[in-house]
Amino acid sequence: MRPLTDEETEILFAKLAKYVGSNVRMLVERPDGAFCFRLHNDRVYYLSEEMMRRATNIARTNLISMGTCFGKFNHAKKLRLHITALPFLAPYAKYKVWVKPSQEQSFLYGNHVLKSGLGRITENTPLHHGVVIYSMNDLPLGFGVAAKTTADCKNAEPAAIVVYHQADIGEYLRDEELIG
């Protein structure tokens, strides 16, 4: 377990800013205490500083996990966010998409969101920006990348892809051994 380097921190905050904008600061400076990001086995963990201090007493080889895994760096130093970051991204999401009940199951199986399944979308959603996908009951289902702007969605055909799938809560069952 070690602190992130400047390059890794920049990559992480740039990725988080795609989803939560300037609210990245709210993740680190929380009213319930100080939180930080740490790297262990190429995975980025989000944890309280108190938990981080306790984890330093455990040898690196014996330490499996600590806090919440936000994502993993691949060999090319690109960060892939995991679904475990959703509870922290959803409250601060800048752009949101709501899917119809008929589209929920399709999205939870790992498919992209189509125009025909789009319930609502946040105004002025830019192209290729991070969005959090909600059910019509405001339950966060996952996150993805906007394939079309809000204006383009209004004129798109029903089979057009509106949001590219990144992660969904169905991964807890599909990829159980990979999460963590």
Side-chain angles (χ1 to χ4, degrees):
M1 175 183 68
R2 66 169 175 81
L4 276 69
T5 63
D6 291 340
E7 179 188 2
E8 291 166 343
T9 303
E10 189 176 314
I11 293 169
L12 173 67
F13 285 171
K15 184 72 137 183
L16 292 176
K18 286 186 107 177
Y19 291 94
V20 297
S22 60
N23 291 335
V24 173
R25 180 174 308 207
M26 307 274 283
L27 290 172
V28 180
E29 299 170 2
R30 291 177 37 170
D32 57 339
F35 281 72
C36 60
F37 292 98
R38 289 290 185 257
L39 190 76
H40 182 66
N41 294 338
D42 288 332
R43 295 185 195 284
V44 177
Y45 290 94
Y46 178 67
L47 63 158
S48 67
E49 289 190 2
E50 179 184 342
M51 185 184 293
M52 187 247 330
R53 279 190 232 101
R54 290 182 182 180
T56 57
N57 296 331
I58 302 170
R60 284 187 183 184
T61 55
N62 296 337
L63 187 65
I64 296 172
S65 173
M66 73 235 151
T68 302
C69 182
F70 254 53
K72 183 178 180 182
F73 280 104
N74 63 14
H75 295 292
K77 287 296 181 194
K78 295 198 181 214
L79 180 70
R80 185 180 194 295
L81 288 178
H82 288 181
I83 188 59
T84 51
L86 181 64
F88 300 99
L89 296 178
Y92 305 116
K94 198 171 182 185
Y95 303 109
K96 302 175 183 179
V97 170
W98 289 265
V99 294
K100 293 178 182 174
S102 60
Q103 179 72 25
E104 284 179 25
Q105 188 171 9
S106 176
F107 178 74
L108 294 178
Y109 280 134
N111 298 320
H112 303 305
V113 177
L114 303 177
K115 165 70 163 78
S116 60
L118 184 68
R120 292 184 301 189
I121 187 168
T122 307
E123 283 298 317
N124 301 322
T125 302
L127 186 67
H128 303 301
H129 221 69
V131 294
V132 175
I133 290 96
Y134 287 87
S135 68
M136 293 304 278
N137 298 328
D138 286 331
L139 175 72
L141 300 175
F143 50 88
V145 176
K148 297 193 179 300
T149 63
T150 305
D152 292 342
C153 288
K154 294 176 183 170
N155 301 326
E157 58 187 55
I161 296 174
V162 176
V163 177
Y164 295 121
H165 177 273
Q166 294 276 308
D168 63 81
I169 56 176
E171 287 180 20
Y172 284 117
L173 299 175
R174 289 193 316 268
D175 300 331
E176 193 172 348
E177 67 280 351
L178 299 176
I179 295 176

